[in-house]
Amino acid sequence: MPTPPLHMRRAGFDPVPELSALRDGGVRLVDLPQGDRVWLVTRLADVRAVLGDPRRFGNSAHHVVPGAPALSEEELALVRPGNPLAFDPPEHTRLRRLVAGEFTGRRMRALEPWVHEVVRDRLDALERAGSPADVVAGFALPVPSLVICELLGVPYADRDAFQDRYTRFFDISLPPERRLAIALESRAYLAELADRARSAPGDDLLGALVRSDLREEEVVGLVDLLLLAGHETTANMLSLGMAVLLAHPDRRAALLAAPETAVEELLRWLTVVHTGVPRVVTAEVELGGRVLEPGDLVVCSLPAANRDPDLVADPDELDLAREAGSHVAFGHGVHHCLGAPLARMEMRVAFTALLTRFPGLRVVSPELRFRDEQVVYGLEELLVAW
């Protein structure tokens, strides 16, 4: 198995010590296994400076997936349209504005009772299946998938297929041509759904998008990103979070006492997204004591930034009762995760319901197997008993 790039390396739940050492030394040049040489940014202030300034740190269109080789012009033309992560303002603003209304605080409050129903149904199914059970397959994956599929208007029955495609697409050990073929499979599937929606648009987000002035490939790209972001990140936070919560009884009590506070600290401490989309320097700039030149690639380590002592005291400690500060688990600046309010609400509801339904829940996995080759960090499975 090839060694992941430095910004993707973990030691269990923690970033590897090398990332902390880099953070103490500022911005550093590192070589990625795929051949690119990039500036790796690990300090919180520097990460915010990069992600908050799209004029000096612009979008690197050819590096849409962190840790993967650069895309060719042909590949780029196939996977870029409609993806807000592949653009900076004003094009980014145009795409984001079309779906922003689905993720407001008001919309989340209206949606929360239904999320409670989804969670309750999955817990019923988990209980019927009996102990022991895999929390990843039986709960962490289906809950966010059900929610985002309903919001978008994507058939939940197709969940296993698109989930498998996304898992393989984000596996950086696969050859780039294979990953491109997977991306095209996904787009072909969504293009078919969009065609059906045009003939009878529903009240869901897909129906709204096909009624908009977006081009067909833009509708497909936007839905593709929302479908991915809507289940992949939250599912991995749920599985990793449960493993952490069940490791110590006091953590379970802390979450039930103040779920919102605990979820923020879990987001900071776990940070399942290794990095945002790589940025490219557009003009000579000083960062972290180094001078970066136009055309240089920049990769921000979000887990390292969230363990910066400038964010919280004792950052390597998990303290579910403290305020986690302005962490960057959802990114920063114009590319801050659009679905953050939905993810927060789903985690708060899901963690609380699972721990309340099964007060004696405990981990029985012989060992935790982490998804080391994935762009979004997580667990392969988490066996629990009650």
Side-chain angles (χ1 to χ4, degrees), residues 147-194:
V147 173
I148 198 63
C149 285
E150 180 71 17
L151 281 177
L152 290 174
V154 174
Y156 180 70
D158 296 341
R159 174 184 64 89
D160 288 343
F162 67 68
Q163 189 171 283
D164 175 66
R165 281 194 295 269
Y166 288 137
T167 298
R168 288 181 291 128
F169 178 71
F170 275 141
D171 183 348
I172 65 166
S173 67
L174 291 181
E177 60 273 12
R178 180 63 190 132
R179 295 173 67 254
L180 177 63
I182 294 165
L184 295 180
E185 288 175 20
S186 179
R187 291 219 163 203
Y189 163 73
L190 293 173
E192 183 180 341
L193 287 186

Side-chain angles (χ1 to χ4, degrees), residues 65-280:
V65 179
L71 297 175
S72 67
E73 291 292 340
E74 179 184 5
E75 292 168 340
L76 194 63
L78 293 170
V79 303
R80 193 182 187 209
N83 183 349
L85 294 181
F87 297 94
D88 286 321
E91 182 68 3
H92 168 271
T93 308
R94 178 182 74 90
L95 292 169
R96 186 177 175 112
R97 186 181 295 129
L98 286 166
V99 294
E102 292 293 321
F103 300 97
T104 62
R106 180 180 179 182
R107 182 78 173 95
M108 292 306 102
R109 287 189 292 274
L111 189 64
E112 184 169 337
W114 179 70
V115 173
H116 277 278
E117 288 185 26
V118 170
V119 168
R120 186 167 55 250
D121 287 346
R122 291 313 309 171
L123 290 177
D124 289 345
L126 204 65
E127 191 166 22
R128 284 195 302 270
S131 174
D134 179 11
V135 166
V136 176
F139 188 74
L141 285 172
V143 166
S145 294
L146 276 162
V147 173
I148 198 63
C149 285
E150 180 71 17
L151 281 177
L152 290 174
V154 174
Y156 180 70
D158 296 341
R159 174 184 64 89
D160 288 343
F162 67 68
Q163 189 171 283
D164 175 66
R165 281 194 295 269
Y166 288 137
T167 298
R168 288 181 291 128
F169 178 71
F170 275 141
D171 183 348
I172 65 166
S173 67
L174 291 181
E177 60 273 12
R178 180 63 190 132
R179 295 173 67 254
L180 177 63
I182 294 165
L184 295 180
E185 288 175 20
S186 179
R187 291 219 163 203
Y189 163 73
L190 293 173
E192 183 180 341
L193 287 186
D195 284 342
R196 278 188 247 155
R198 281 190 184 87
S199 61
D203 295 330
D204 47 54
L205 186 51
L206 180 57
L209 291 175
V210 298
R211 287 191 294 265
S212 73
D213 59 358
L214 286 174
R215 302 190 307 274
E216 178 179 349
E217 63 268 25
E218 290 180 321
V219 171
V220 170
L222 194 48
V223 172
D224 201 17
L225 175 65
L226 292 172
L227 190 59
L228 162 69
H231 85 272
E232 187 75 11
T233 51
T234 305
N236 285 296
M237 269 300 303
L238 287 175
S239 58
L240 282 172
M242 284 309 303
V244 169
L245 290 169
L246 295 178
H248 299 284
D250 59 324
R251 293 176 182 171
R252 182 200 311 256
L255 183 129
L256 292 176
E260 291 185 3
T261 300
V263 162
E264 288 304 312
E265 174 70 349
L266 285 169
L267 284 163
R268 179 199 70 82
W269 196 72
L270 291 170
T271 312
V272 296
V273 178
H274 301 292
T275 179
V277 174
R279 314 302 293 170
V280 62

Side-chain angles (χ1 to χ4, degrees), residues 3 47 53 57 66 69 93 127 148 175 181 194 200 238 246 261 284 333 345 357 363 367:
T3 302
V47 167
D53 188 355
F57 300 95
T93 308
E127 191 166 22
I148 198 63
L238 287 175
L246 295 178
T261 300
E284 183 179 294
M345 184 261 284
R357 173 72 75 93
V363 175
E367 63 176 330

Side-chain angles (χ1 to χ4, degrees), residues 267-268 271-273 302 306 327-331 337:
L267 284 163
R268 179 199 70 82
T271 312
V272 296
V273 178
L302 303 182
N306 278 339
H327 63 73
V328 291
F330 289 115
C337 178

